[in-house]
Amino acid sequence: MKKLILTAVIAVFAFTASYAQDSTRTRLHKAKGTAEQRAKNATAMLTEKLALTAEQQKKVYDIELERVKTFEGMRRQTGQSATMEARKAAMKASRDKMNSVLSQEQQTKFDSLRTAQRRQIRPKSESDKARKKHKGVETVTPPAPR
């Protein structure tokens, strides 16, 4: 009986270890690529969404490349991320440069794209906002009757 239990335990551990070594599973996060690739991808996406001209594409690529390199530099300097003020200043500068390149119609589309991406990355529900306002006071909704 002891041999049977020991064999079962070893089999479970072997199965777990082999599953942990499985390299065919997909990763949760995509590879980011080089700064040039990321700027090229962002420019291609903006070209598709905003119908950029060839001249605008060149300027947007330069702006995106500068933005990506700036944030990579910030990440390297401080380990994880730069101070919030420095990040906000860099984002504002990038946004201002982008707005100088885009037409008025493209600017409104660009702002709506940014808003949609922000919601997709970090969705906020009304209950989360209300919870923050009350500083730790959490309301519990009762379960639905069966």
Side-chain angles (χ1 to χ4, degrees):
M1 185 68 174
K2 288 182 182 180
K3 288 183 182 181
L4 181 63
I5 292 173
L6 183 61
T7 304
V9 169
I10 291 173
V12 167
F13 281 128
F15 176 74
T16 304
S18 67
Y19 182 74
Q21 299 297 322
D22 187 10
S23 64
T24 60
R25 291 184 291 158
T26 59
R27 291 182 175 221
L28 295 177
H29 302 288
K30 296 179 185 176
K32 293 184 178 179
T34 64
E36 290 79 13
Q37 290 171 335
R38 292 171 66 187
K40 184 178 177 182
N41 291 342
T43 304
M45 186 272 300
L46 289 174
T47 300
E48 178 185 324
K49 302 278 184 177
L50 303 177
L52 299 176
T53 64
E55 183 180 324
Q56 285 177 323
Q57 288 178 17
K58 291 175 188 173
K59 290 179 182 178
V60 166
Y61 175 79
D62 292 337
I63 292 168
E64 285 294 322
L65 184 61
E66 181 183 341
R67 182 187 63 79
V68 169
K69 286 184 176 181
T70 300
F71 280 100
E72 283 180 356
M74 285 182 185
R75 215 173 277 127
R76 284 192 193 113
Q77 286 176 354
T78 60
Q80 183 68 330
S81 63
T83 62
M84 187 60 79
E85 293 82 22
R87 291 176 56 90
K88 282 185 179 181
M91 284 188 282
K92 184 175 180 349
S94 177
R95 190 171 45 245
D96 290 343
K97 288 178 188 176
M98 189 69 75
N99 284 338
S100 69
V101 171
L102 301 175
S103 68
Q104 191 66 29
E105 182 181 319
Q106 289 172 331
Q107 285 178 13
T108 56
K109 284 183 184 178
F110 181 66
D111 290 340
S112 66
L113 283 173
R114 284 185 51 241
T115 304
Q117 286 176 342
R118 218 178 289 138
R119 284 187 191 136
Q120 199 174 34
I121 291 171
R122 192 173 179 200
K124 287 281 187 183
S125 66
E126 291 300 319
S127 63
D128 289 342
K129 290 178 184 177
R131 210 173 291 144
K132 279 186 177 181
K133 284 183 183 178
H134 295 294
K135 295 182 182 177
V137 176
E138 189 173 327
T139 58
V140 180
T141 57
R146 293 184 182 192

